[in-house]
Amino acid sequence: MAPEGGTLLLITLSLSLASNQQTLEEVPVQSDFEAQKVEGRWLTTRLAASHTRLISPEDPLRLALHSIGTRDQDLEFVLFWMGEGVCKGVNITVHPTGLQGQYQGTLERGGTILIRFVGTDYSNLILYVRFQDSGGEVTSLWALLARRVPADPKWLGKYLEYVRKFQLQEAPVFNLDAQCPPSDA
């Protein structure tokens, strides 16, 4: 194959892969979002990602969102990692970006996180989360959250439209009712 042909093939493959990964301009954000109204307990009803390895059913560790809180203008996501002999609470604090309904922060082990509240009626919530690791790799995660299960069918329909539009991979859902159990000290 001629060098020019190889370059053209590489460019074509890169463009087709890039077209599957949504740009921020394509991801909506709720312009009238009110952070205080999302405070409290949330249950994950559906989950999808651009890379399945982030949320593989074979992974023995399970990450679950427990709740969302506010601190001044910031939002705090309370998550729990659980698995075989492992349970750890994780708090991720994100700060407003200036765009209503969009927040960003840095992760403890490097990388960044960007969160968009795509849509909510404050009983159901579609959340877009964009992780970028320290090497520059981007992974997108979409979640349908609800105050109680099952989620409203209208919100499920909206969520599934995004899953189809952005060609996302559905993933198993995990919810934890409580914090980590006390250790046997």
Side-chain angles (χ1 to χ4, degrees):
M1 179 181 289
E4 297 83 21
T7 303
L8 182 60
L9 178 62
L10 184 59
I11 290 170
T12 303
L13 286 173
S14 297
L15 289 174
S16 68
L17 287 172
S19 70
N20 287 342
Q21 185 71 276
Q22 66 270 20
T23 63
L24 272 180
E25 291 78 28
E26 294 178 283
V27 178
V29 63
Q30 184 165 321
S31 60
D32 62 347
F33 175 73
E34 296 179 45
Q36 294 76 17
K37 290 185 177 181
V38 297
E39 283 188 295
R41 180 76 165 104
W42 287 95
L43 300 169
T44 305
T45 63
R46 299 297 284 261
L47 199 57
S50 59
H51 300 294
T52 54
R53 73 181 182 291
L54 181 69
I55 42 180
S56 169
E58 289 81 34
D59 190 341
L61 284 178
R62 305 290 183 229
L63 178 65
L65 172 69
H66 184 269
S67 58
I68 301 172
T70 59
R71 191 177 336 144
D72 298 322
Q73 298 288 317
D74 296 340
L75 288 179
E76 183 172 78
F77 289 78
V78 179
L79 306 129
F80 290 96
W81 284 101
M82 292 191 84
E84 299 169 15
V86 176
C87 184
K88 180 181 179 188
V90 178
N91 293 352
I92 297 177
T93 302
V94 290
H95 318 284
T97 63
L99 177 63
Q100 189 74 14
Q102 179 175 285
Y103 295 79
Q104 67 184 5
T106 55
L107 300 171
E108 190 175 290
R109 294 184 181 202
T112 60
I113 184 171
L114 181 122
I115 296 175
R116 276 196 172 178
F117 288 84
V118 175
T120 185
D121 63 0
Y122 304 102
S123 292
N124 298 278
L125 169 61
I126 298 175
L127 196 64
Y128 167 78
V129 182
R130 181 180 186 266
F131 298 99
Q132 185 168 356
D133 67 21
S134 54
E137 183 177 3
V138 173
T139 301
S140 299
L141 180 75
W142 289 74
L144 175 61
L145 308 174
R147 298 283 187 182
R148 62 189 118 163
V149 176
D152 183 322
K154 177 181 95 172
W155 286 93
L156 176 59
K158 288 180 182 183
Y159 168 82
L160 291 174
E161 284 177 28
Y162 292 120
V163 170
R164 281 189 294 277
K165 178 179 180 178
F166 296 119
Q167 301 175 8
L168 302 170
Q169 304 296 313
E170 291 265 17
V173 171
F174 306 98
N175 287 296
L176 304 174
D177 292 328
Q179 296 180 3
C180 297
S183 61
D184 299 331

